[in-house]
């Protein structure tokens, strides 16, 4: 327990087997992340958590901490790269926040605010993706899916089901529903499943719950994502859910 | 300020809802202060038909038809600084929800199939600008110098942004002022 790394000059203790992200979360050091949720195994897809370790860029959610690592995290260069990654996610989907029920509670949006994204910068893909409203209690809007696989992991690991998967290659990679029909309504997902609540964006939404929280009182109206995600680890809770 | 030439500002709404302009008017009595510092060129608030040489051009709305593109090009050609204001100008926003629906299907739905229409036909007078297949963000058509997100940005946000720009500061928004919704 007396092994340490430094992150932005701060001495951070770790135990063997912990990743840089684990150590950072434990020490209340915020490293931006979207696909990581301490409740689940690391995924490594969003790349927001990339830090510079002894001069090399690495994903902190998958990189095991090792004695005397010198980690740079909150630097203008890394935050600029992170902003570009978030911009790529925005143009890859159809993120029309003013019409999205997740607005104000969405981690993608909150990360973009944190990184001071003023525009998505790149050419929009406007992908023709589906909305699946077949389930009585849960919506699936793939226009907002960032392929973090948190729903996939939650369904398998917590719910003991296998409702979601990822299929396709390259830009065609997309979330699929494991039913012969491909429809959420034909799975055994129920509204109380962890998978129905773990989505960091507005891709999985509970029906008849939208727009309940007044503007000004939503999660990220009041606090930055850095503060919210540090608080939730303090309380031992995985995220703002 | 007294001796100095006033900053000349043009504004327009392309595929917008005029909400960003309404939010600008929401600065209320500060409009008097604003008019001490600037004078308007072409804007929906004046009767000027074409954008002349300006310091700042403010564009609300995405680009959804040929006329939008012409107006936008005129703004770019005449304004030293071009600002995209609001979600529509920045990512197409709600109007861009039509981007995945065939344009012809949209037109038939509205002008042919909709009940209660007499002598149904799709408007085809050359006076009318032709719509584009998609709604485009302003920056995908011309170079944009600054972005002011929000649907719409709040009056306070617009005031902060404009006064920064007018007084020659790099515009800076606080966390509370940066919103996409
Ligand atoms: S999922 Fe998040 S970023 Fe995407 S439209 Fe909804 S609020 Fe905006
Ligand atoms: S639906 Fe949500 S949780 Fe599932 S992969 Fe997409 S963004 Fe992640
Ligand atoms: S949090 Fe590490 S890659 Fe997403």
């Amino acid at each position: 327990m007396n092994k340490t790394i430094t992150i932005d000059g701060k001495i951070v203790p770790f135990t063997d087997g912990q990743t840089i992200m684990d150590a950072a979360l434990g020490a209340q050091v915020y490293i931006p992340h979207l696909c990581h949720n301490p409740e689940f195994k690391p995924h490594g897809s969003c790349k927001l958590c990339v830090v510079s370790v002894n001069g090399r860029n690495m994903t902190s959610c998958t990189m095991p901490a090792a004695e005397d690592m010198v980690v740079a995290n909150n630097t203008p260069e890394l935050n600029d790269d992170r902003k570009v990654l978030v911009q790529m996610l925005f143009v890859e989907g159809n993120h029309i926040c003013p019409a999205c029920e997740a607005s104000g509670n969405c981690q993608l949006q909150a990360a973009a605010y944190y990184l001071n994204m003023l525009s998505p910068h790149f050419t929009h893909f406007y992908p023709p993706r589906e909305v699946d409203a077949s389930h009585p209690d849960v919506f699936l809007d793939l226009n907002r899916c960032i392929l973090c696989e948190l729903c996939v992991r939650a369904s398998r690991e917590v719910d003991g089901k296998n409702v979601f998967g990822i299929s396709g290659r390259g830009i065609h990679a997309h979330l699929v529903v494991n039913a012969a029909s491909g429809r959420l309504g034909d799975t055994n997902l129920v509204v109380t499943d962890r998978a129905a609540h773990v989505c960091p964006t507005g891709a999985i939404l509970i029906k008849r719950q939208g727009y309940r929280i007044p503007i000004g009182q939503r999660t990220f109206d009041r606090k930055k994502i850095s503060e919210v995600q540090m608080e939730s680890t303090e309380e031992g809770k995985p995220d703002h859910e | 300020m007294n001796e100095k030439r006033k900053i000349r500002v043009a504004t327009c709404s392309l595929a917008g809802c005029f909400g960003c302009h309404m939010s600008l008017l929401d600065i209320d009595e500060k409009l008097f202060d604003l008019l001490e510092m600037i004078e308007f060129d072409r804007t929906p608030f004046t009767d000027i038909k074409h954008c002349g040489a300006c310091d700042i051009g403010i564009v609300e709305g995405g680009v959804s038809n040929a006329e939008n593109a012409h107006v936008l090009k005129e703004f770019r050609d005449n304004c030293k600084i071009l600002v995209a204001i609001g979600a529509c100008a920045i990512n197409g926003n709600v109007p861009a929800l039509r981007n995945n629906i065939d344009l012809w299907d949209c037109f038939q739905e509205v002008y042919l199939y909709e009940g209660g229409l007499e002598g149904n036909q799709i408007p085809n007078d050359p006076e009318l600008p032709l719509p584009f297949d998609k709604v485009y963000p302003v920056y995908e058509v011309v170079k944009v110098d600054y972005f002011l997100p929000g649907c719409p940005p709040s009056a306070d946000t617009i005031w902060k942004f404009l006064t920064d720009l007018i007084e020659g500061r790099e515009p800076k928004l606080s966390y509370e002022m940066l919103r996409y919704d």
Side-chain angles (χ1 to χ4, degrees), chain A residues 90 94-98 100-104 106-109 144 200-203, chain B residues 180:
Chain A
F90 266 81
N94 295 316
H95 293 281
I96 312 291
C97 300
C100 178
E101 290 176 23
S103 195
C106 165
Q107 294 179 32
L108 175 64
Q109 184 190 62
R144 304 169 183 151
T201 73
Chain B
Y180 307 148

Side-chain angles (χ1 to χ4, degrees), chain A residues 19-79:
Chain A
T19 60
I20 296 171
M21 177 68 80
D22 296 332
L25 288 171
Q28 294 286 300
V29 173
Y30 175 65
I31 302 177
H33 58 277
L34 286 174
C35 70
H36 187 66
N37 177 328
E39 200 186 336
F40 302 99
K41 285 200 200 81
H43 189 244
S45 61
C46 76
K47 301 295 171 211
L48 252 63
C49 72
V50 165
V51 292
S52 169
V53 182
N54 301 337
R56 281 187 62 193
N57 282 2
M58 298 178 181
T59 44
S60 56
C61 69
T62 56
M63 187 68 198
E67 187 82 88
D68 299 330
M69 273 180 169
V70 178
V71 177
N73 164 45
N74 191 14
T75 70
E77 293 76 19
L78 286 165
N79 284 332

Side-chain angles (χ1 to χ4, degrees), chain A residues 90 94-99 103 109 112-113 116-124 126-128 218 220-221 223-224, chain B residues 87 90-94 96-97 99-100 134-137 139-140 147-151 173 175-176 178-181:
Chain A
F90 266 81
N94 295 316
H95 293 281
I96 312 291
C97 300
S103 195
Q109 184 190 62
Y113 291 156
N116 196 38
M117 183 186 96
L118 297 174
S119 89
H121 182 82
F122 298 107
T123 302
H124 285 72
Y126 295 122
R218 302 168 304 180
F220 300 112
D221 287 340
K223 285 174 185 163
K224 294 185 185 183
Chain B
I90 291 173
N91 70 4
N93 199 17
V94 173
L97 289 174
N99 287 4
N100 289 311
K134 283 185 167 43
V135 178
Y136 296 90
Y139 71 82
E140 291 188 24
F147 297 92
L148 184 54
C151 186
L173 302 180
Y175 180 80
E176 290 69 28
L178 179 55
R179 288 291 175 265
Y180 307 148
D181 62 359

